[in-house]
C-alpha cells in the first residue's frame, strides 16, 4: 500500500493526517491475518513464550484486541470496509463461540475457566458495540445467542480487584444496547462504578485498586471505559459525573509526553505503548478536555509515530513485546504475544469524523515544547518536570506503588524508582537500580518498598519509606529548570551504615546525566559510574552513584542531579546553590529564585 504524503502545513510537528492513522490501522490489521486460524476464531501470533493463561487464551487475545482496532477503523469510516476487516471478525465470532470451553481448534476459553477471558470479553463487546449496524445486526439469531452466552459471565463480580471491574461494565454496556439481560447488565454497571469510586482520590487521579498504584491505567482504563460507556449510551448524567474527571486527568496527562512524542514510561503494561493517546482522543470525542483539537492530534500522532518510527513492529509488521523492539524486562507474566494490541485504544480518534477540528486544525506544540514546567500531582504524590530546551520530561515519584508489591524481594522497576524520564531507564534486576537511594547491609542494597506520600508543593514532593525495620527515610525532590535537589533524611540507622544514591541510567547516545554531592557525602567525592545493562532505551547504560555512611541517630544526604539533551551542558553545580542548616535546605536557583525545604519532623516536611 502506498504511504500517504506528509502534510507539514497542517501538521508541522508530525506531518501526519487522518489518512496516516487509517493507513497504519490497516497495516497492523493486515499483518496479523496470516496468523488467524482457518475460520478466524483465534489469532495465534508468534512470540518468545505464552502468557500465564496459556496459548488458547493468547489466541483469543489476538482476536479480541485486533477486533477492537478493526472496529475503530470501520466505525470511524461509517461502515466503509474496503479491505474486508469485519467479515473476518464476524466469522471468528461464530467460530469461537460455537463450542466455547472445548478443545476444538477455534474454540474460545470460557471466562469462568480462564479469567483472562474476562479482559478479552471487554474488547469483543466494545468492538461489537461500535460496529453493531455492520456486524452484530447482520448475524443470525443462533450466533448472536451463542455470543451473548459467552459474554454474560463477565457481568459477575470481577475476579481481580482493580481496573478489571470495568471489563464487566463494558460488556454490560453492549448487552444493554443489544437488549440482552438488560436488568442484569444495569446491575453490573452500577456495581462496577461503585467499586472504582473507592479508588478516586481527586484531581482526575484514580489508584488502580486498594493501594497507591498510579500509572497509565488512569488514561487507558480507569477513565477510558466509564467515559466511553457514558458517551456511547448517551447517558448525560454519567457523562456529567465522569467527564470532568477525565478533563482534570488530561490537565496532567498531556505533560507526560516528550517533544519527540514518547509517553513517559512508568508503571506496568508499557507494551501497550500508544494506548496512552486514548484518553486525549476520548476528551475530544466527548468534549471533556482542556486540550485544543490541534494539541490533541499533535500528542496522539506524535506518540504513534514515535513508536512506529523506532521499530515497535517487527519485519512482519507485528507489534513486539517491548517499547521499541523486544525488551523482556518490560513484559509482565500475564502478557502474551498479542498483548501489545491493547494499543488499539490509541486509535480511538478515528471515531471522530474527518471534518472534526481534531483532524482539520493545525497542530499545536505540547507543554514540554512550550516552557519549563514543574507540576505537582498531589493525589498521587508525583512531580512532573519538563524542560523546553530539549523537550525532555521527568517524573519524580513520591507516592506511586506496585499493585501487588511483595513484602520482600526486589522492588518493581516500574513503580519504586524515585524518578523516571522519557529518555532513560529504568534498569532491571540484577543490574543496580537507577534513581534509587538505599542503605547497604551485608553488601546488599535495601529496597524502597511502599512509598508513603508526605506532601507536595509548587516545585517539590516528599515521601517516607521504611527500608529496614526501625529505619525510616524521609525523601524529597525539588526541581527547577533542569536542576534537581535530592534529599534523604535517614532516621534510626546504626552508626556507620553505608548508603548509596544513584542517578539517571543513560545510553551512550542518550542525554547527559549529572550527579553531584552537596551534603552528607564526602565533599570531593566523584560519582562512581556503574554499568547497568539494558533498559528500554538501549542495550548498554551507565549510572552514576554516590556513596557515604550514616552518622548519629539521623543523617541527611543531599545531592544535585540533572538530566538534559542540551549539547555541552553546564555543570549541575552552576544550576543551584544549596545551603544546609540542620534539617533545612535553602536553595537558590540559577535565575535567582529561591526555595526552602525542612525535612522534619519525619512525617511533616514543609517548604517555603
Amino acid at each position: 500500500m502506498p504511504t500517504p504524503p506528509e502534510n507539514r502545513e497542517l501538521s508541522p510537528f508530525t506531518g501526519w493526517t487522518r489518512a496516516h492513522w487509517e493507513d497504519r490501522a490497516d497495516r497492523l490489521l493486515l499483518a496479523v491475518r496470516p496468523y488467524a486460524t482457518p475460520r478466524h476464531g483465534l489469532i495465534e501470533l508468534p512470540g518468545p513464550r505464552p502468557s500465564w493463561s496459556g496459548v488458547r487464551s493468547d489466541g483469543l487475545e489476538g482476536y479480541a484486541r485486533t477486533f477492537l482496532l478493526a472496529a475503530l477503523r470501520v466505525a470511524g469510516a461509517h461502515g466503509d470496509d474496503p479491505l474486508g476487516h469485519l467479515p473476518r471478525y464476524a466469522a471468528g465470532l461464530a467460530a469461537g463461540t460455537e463450542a466455547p470451553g472445548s478443545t476444538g481448534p477455534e474454540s474460545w476459553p470460557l471466562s469462568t475457566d480462564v479469567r483472562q477471558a474476562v479482559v478479552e470479553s471487554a474488547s469483543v463487546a466494545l468492538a461489537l458495540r461500535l460496529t453493531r449496524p455492520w456486524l452484530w445486526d447482520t448475524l443470525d439469531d443462533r450466533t448472536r445467542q451463542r455470543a451473548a452466552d459467552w459474554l454474560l459471565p463477565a457481568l459477575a463480580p470481577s475476579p481481580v480487584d482493580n481496573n478489571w471491574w470495568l471489563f464487566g461494565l463494558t460488556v454490560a454496556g453492549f448487552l444493554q444496547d443489544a437488549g440482552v439481560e438488560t436488568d442484569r447488565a444495569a446491575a453490573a454497571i452500577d456495581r462496577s462504578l461503585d467499586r472504582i469510586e473507592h479508588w478516586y482520590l481527586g484531581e482526575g487521579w484514580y489508584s488502580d485498586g486498594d493501594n497507591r498504584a498510579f500509572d497509565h491505567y488512569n488514561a487507558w482504563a480507569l477513565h477510558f471505559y466509564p467515559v466511553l460507556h457514558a458517551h456511547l449510551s448517551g447517558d448525560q448524567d454519567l457523562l456529567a459525573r465522569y467527564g470532568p474527571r477525565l478533563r482534570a486527568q488530561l490537565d496532567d496527562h498531556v505533560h507526560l509526553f516528550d517533544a519527540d512524542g514518547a509517553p513517559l514510561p512508568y508503571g506496568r503494561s508499557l507494551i501497550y505503548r500508544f494506548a496512552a493517546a486514548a484518553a486525549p482522543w476520548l476528551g475530544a470525542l466527548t468534549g471533556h478536555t482542556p486540550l485544543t483539537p490541534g494539541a490533541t492530534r499533535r500528542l496522539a500522532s506524535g506518540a504513534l509515530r514515535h513508536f512506529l518510527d523506532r521499530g515497535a513492529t517487527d519485519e512482519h509488521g507485528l507489534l513486539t513485546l517491548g517499547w521499541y523492539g523486544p525488551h523482556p524486562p518490560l513484559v509482565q507474566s500475564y502478557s502474551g504475544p498479542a498483548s501489545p494490541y491493547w494499543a488499539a485504544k490509541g486509535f480511538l480518534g478515528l471515531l471522530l469524523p474527518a471534518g472534526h477540528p481534531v483532524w482539520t486544525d493545525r497542530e499545536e506544540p505540547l507543554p514540554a515544547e512550550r516552557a519549563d514546567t514543574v507540576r505537582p500531582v498531589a493525589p498521587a504524590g508525583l512531580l512532573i518536570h519538563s524542560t523546553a530546551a530539549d523537550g525532555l520530561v521527568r517524573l519524580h515519584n513520591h507516592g506511586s506503588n506496585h499493585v501487588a508489591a511483595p513484602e520482600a524481594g526486589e522492588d518493581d522497576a516500574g513503580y519504586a524508582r524515585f524518578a523516571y524520564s522519557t529518555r532513560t531507564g529504568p534498569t532491571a534486576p540484577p543490574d543496580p537500580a537507577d534513581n534509587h537511594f538505599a542503605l547497604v547491609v551485608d553488601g546488599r542494597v535495601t529496597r524502597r518498598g511502599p512509598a508513603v506520600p508526605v506532601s507536595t508543593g509548587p516545585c517539590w514532593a516528599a515521601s517516607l519509606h521504611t527500608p529496614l525495620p526501625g529505619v525510616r527515610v524521609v525523601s524529597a525532590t525539588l526541581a527547577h529548570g533542569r536542576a534537581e535537589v535530592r534529599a534523604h533524611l535517614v532516621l534510626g540507622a546504626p552508626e556507620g551504615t553505608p548508603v548509596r544514591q544513584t542517578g539517571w541510567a543513560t545510553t551512550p547516545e542518550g542525554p547527559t546525566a549529572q550527579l553531584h554531592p552537596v551534603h552528607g557525602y564526602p565533599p570531593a567525592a566523584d560519582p562512581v559510574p556503574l554499568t547497568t545493562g539494558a533498559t528500554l532505551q538501549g542495550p548498554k547504560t551507565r549510572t552514576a552513584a554516590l556513596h557515604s555512611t550514616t552518622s548519629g541517630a539521623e543523617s541527611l544526604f543531599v545531592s544535585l542531579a540533572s538530566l538534559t539533551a542540551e549539547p555541552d551542558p553546564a555543570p549541575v553545580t552552576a544550576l543551584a546553590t544549596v545551603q544546609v542548616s540542620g534539617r533545612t535546605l535553602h536553595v537558590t536557583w540559577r535565575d535567582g529564585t529561591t526555595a526552602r525545604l525542612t525535612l522534619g519532623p519525619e512525617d511533616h516536611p514543609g517548604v517555603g
Side-chain angles (χ1 to χ4, degrees):
M1 296 189 302
T3 301
E6 289 191 357
N7 185 336
R8 289 288 172 175
E9 182 175 344
L10 180 65
S11 302
F13 295 93
T14 70
W16 277 22
T17 65
R18 181 187 175 91
H20 291 88
W21 281 84
E22 294 171 336
D23 175 72
R24 280 2 182 232
D26 285 337
R27 290 176 186 271
L28 288 170
L29 289 166
L30 292 174
V32 303
R33 285 188 179 184
Y35 304 96
T37 48
R39 296 173 60 197
H40 312 301
L42 304 170
I43 295 180
E44 299 172 326
L45 299 181
R49 56 150 183 80
S51 73
W52 65 11
S53 298
V55 294
R56 182 62 60 103
S57 175
D58 293 347
L60 167 62
E61 190 171 69
Y63 171 93
R65 299 187 180 198
T66 60
F67 182 21
L68 179 56
L69 178 57
L72 292 167
R73 173 69 176 97
V74 176
H78 304 287
D80 185 30
D81 187 13
L83 296 179
H85 296 309
L86 288 193
R88 298 176 66 88
Y89 288 96
L93 181 73
T97 60
E98 188 174 89
S102 74
T103 58
E106 305 274 347
S107 297
W108 292 355
L110 296 168
S111 59
T112 50
D113 298 332
V114 180
R115 70 182 190 179
Q116 183 64 29
V118 175
V119 183
E120 307 319 319
S121 69
S123 292
V124 171
L126 181 54
L128 290 172
R129 193 175 193 182
L130 294 172
T131 61
R132 185 179 168 191
W134 311 291
L135 198 160
W136 181 259
D137 290 349
T138 68
L139 298 174
D140 62 82
D141 290 343
R142 185 179 179 188
T143 300
R144 283 200 294 261
Q145 185 60 56
R146 289 200 305 257
D149 289 343
W150 182 80
L151 289 168
L152 279 166
L155 302 186
S158 172
V160 181
D161 197 26
N162 61 5
N163 69 85
W164 277 46
W165 284 93
L166 298 174
F167 303 142
L169 173 143
T170 303
V171 171
F174 165 67
L175 293 176
Q176 272 193 328
D177 282 1
V180 177
E181 296 273 7
T182 54
D183 289 344
R184 184 178 168 190
I189 291 170
D190 291 343
R191 182 171 58 240
S192 298
L193 293 178
D194 178 69
R195 186 66 188 125
I196 69 166
E197 194 65 21
H198 294 277
W199 305 326
Y200 185 64
L201 299 183
E203 300 180 27
W205 285 85
Y206 290 89
S207 174
D208 190 14
D210 284 333
N211 48 57
R212 294 191 56 83
F214 302 103
D215 54 27
H216 286 296
Y217 274 88
N218 264 273
W220 61 44
L222 291 157
H223 287 283
F224 181 86
Y225 290 112
V227 177
L228 186 56
H229 165 69
H231 172 74
L232 295 175
S233 300
D235 190 326
Q236 295 306 310
D237 290 339
L238 276 185
L239 202 55
R241 181 180 187 182
Y242 293 104
R245 295 183 181 184
L246 171 63
R247 183 186 185 94
Q249 165 67 198
L250 291 175
D251 256 333
D252 291 326
H253 189 64
V254 66
H255 287 270
L256 296 175
F257 288 78
D258 194 294
D260 67 9
L264 196 140
Y266 76 116
R268 64 190 178 97
S269 300
L270 293 176
I271 59 171
Y272 302 155
R273 299 178 173 100
F274 45 83
W281 283 131
L282 183 59
L285 183 67
T286 61
H288 289 280
T289 180
L291 281 63
T292 64
T296 299
R297 189 177 78 258
R298 188 270 178 271
L299 181 155
S301 292
L304 183 59
R305 279 211 72 164
H306 180 84
F307 290 107
L308 296 186
D309 288 353
R310 289 168 174 78
T313 55
D314 65 15
E315 66 274 19
H316 305 294
L318 302 175
L319 288 172
T320 60
L321 287 161
W323 188 246
Y324 303 131
H327 184 58
L330 203 65
V331 183
Q332 272 73 43
S333 55
Y334 54 75
S335 298
S339 294
Y341 286 85
W342 231 36
K345 295 178 178 183
F347 284 82
L348 187 71
L350 290 178
L351 295 183
L352 292 155
H356 191 281
V358 81
W359 296 117
T360 60
D361 282 8
R362 184 179 171 88
E363 283 183 344
E364 298 178 16
L366 294 171
E369 298 169 295
R370 296 197 302 261
D372 291 358
T373 301
V374 179
R375 185 181 182 89
V377 181
L382 304 174
L383 194 67
I384 305 172
H385 172 205
S386 63
T387 41
D390 53 10
L392 199 155
V393 178
R394 312 147 189 86
L395 185 73
H396 303 287
N397 172 26
H398 289 274
S400 185
N401 302 315
H402 190 277
V403 291
E407 292 302 318
E410 299 287 352
D411 281 322
D412 188 308
Y415 293 91
R417 302 292 191 261
F418 278 96
Y420 298 88
S421 92
T422 46
R423 303 189 201 178
T424 66
T427 62
D431 291 321
D434 60 317
N435 292 318
H436 186 53
F437 180 83
L439 282 66
V440 184
V441 180
D442 297 328
R444 294 177 59 85
V445 297
T446 55
R447 61 191 292 265
R448 186 181 185 188
V452 178
V454 173
S455 50
T456 57
C459 68
W460 60 281
S463 60
L464 172 70
H465 73 277
T466 305
L468 293 169
V471 179
R472 293 162 295 168
V473 178
V474 183
S475 301
T477 305
L478 294 88
H480 183 88
R482 65 175 172 91
E484 310 160 25
V485 176
R486 301 181 176 189
H488 304 279
L489 178 65
V490 179
L491 301 161
E495 177 87 18
T497 301
V499 301
R500 187 184 76 182
Q501 167 76 69
T502 56
W504 297 98
T506 57
T507 58
E509 65 279 2
T512 299
Q514 299 176 1
L515 185 64
H516 181 77
V518 172
H519 179 85
Y521 304 99
D526 290 328
V528 176
L530 305 176
T531 299
T532 42
T535 70
L536 53 84
Q537 300 291 340
K540 297 180 180 179
T541 60
R542 300 275 276 181
T543 303
L546 293 172
H547 296 268
S548 190
T549 58
T550 59
S551 175
E554 63 180 61
S555 300
L556 178 61
F557 301 93
V558 183
S559 60
L560 273 169
S562 167
L563 180 72
T564 181
E566 295 180 54
D568 302 317
V572 68
T573 51
L575 305 180
T577 301
V578 183
Q579 295 180 321
V580 178
S581 177
R583 293 182 172 186
T584 300
L585 281 64
H586 299 270
V587 184
T588 302
W589 306 110
R590 182 166 58 177
D591 63 5
T593 59
T594 62
R596 181 176 63 85
L597 171 71
T598 299
L599 292 172
E602 57 267 25
D603 56 345
H604 297 290
V607 69

